[in-house]
Amino acid sequence: MTEQPTIIIVDDDAEVREALSSLIRSVGLQTKALASVPEFLNEGRPDGPTCLVLDVRLPGQSGLDFQRELSAANIHVPIIFITGHGDIPMTVQAMKGGAIEFLTKPFRDEDLLDAIHQALDRDRVTRQQQSEFADLRHRYEALTAREREVMVLVVSGMLNKQIASDLGTLEITVKVHRARVMQKMQAESLADLVRMAAKLQLPPGKNKK
């Protein structure tokens, strides 16, 4: 079952929150309207695809400060900034920080909705990549210590007999370990296994020729 996307509005103006919530709900999306960054931190991020519609000027921590804080914490939530007092340096800072859009009030409803759909598409892709990496990491962690050693040497280009010599074991034993690695990692080819090792950022082997 596909998780419902959620648009989180953070603006200290109650009328703006209500107007944006009404607009977003009118196209079938669910919203959560909050008055400040601390409220968002207390609520936490929803499980499904998410984007933030974030006012630049907020009491206490500004929207731009919050963007930097999320980035430093390696939390990736697509952000659409809205402001009544934007300028070029502010816009540049927001976009360099990875914002989807920077809209100056008053803006067209269509511009906000287009940005929201773009943000949700980006978040779906990010979440899918994170899920795939978590699955890959789980498969790798299911390998035995020796199988991990063999995997690193295999993807470095070493032959079975070279791996056997390096590990002080028999070539037939290496073949068994190699077959188990391919099976457990669900790799269809050596090239497939090499791509997996690159994603996992495994340390390079000895690359003997």
Side-chain angles (χ1 to χ4, degrees), residues 26-65:
S26 74
V27 294
L29 293 171
Q30 65 183 7
T31 66
K32 182 180 291 186
L34 307 171
S36 67
V37 167
E39 281 190 44
F40 172 79
L41 295 175
N42 288 335
E43 292 272 343
R45 176 182 170 148
D47 291 332
T50 307
C51 88
L52 275 174
V53 177
L54 187 60
D55 192 5
V56 173
R57 299 182 186 276
L58 293 165
Q61 187 179 35
S62 75
L64 291 171
D65 288 338

Side-chain angles (χ1 to χ4, degrees), residues 1-6 45-51 76-78 119-135:
M1 185 170 164
T2 305
E3 294 169 316
Q4 273 287 101
T6 303
R45 176 182 170 148
D47 291 332
T50 307
C51 88
H76 304 289
V77 182
L120 291 176
D121 286 343
R122 180 184 292 187
D123 199 43
R124 288 187 185 98
V125 170
T126 299
R127 287 167 56 81
Q128 178 65 25
Q129 290 172 341
Q130 290 173 340
S131 175
E132 290 173 356
F133 181 79
D135 181 60

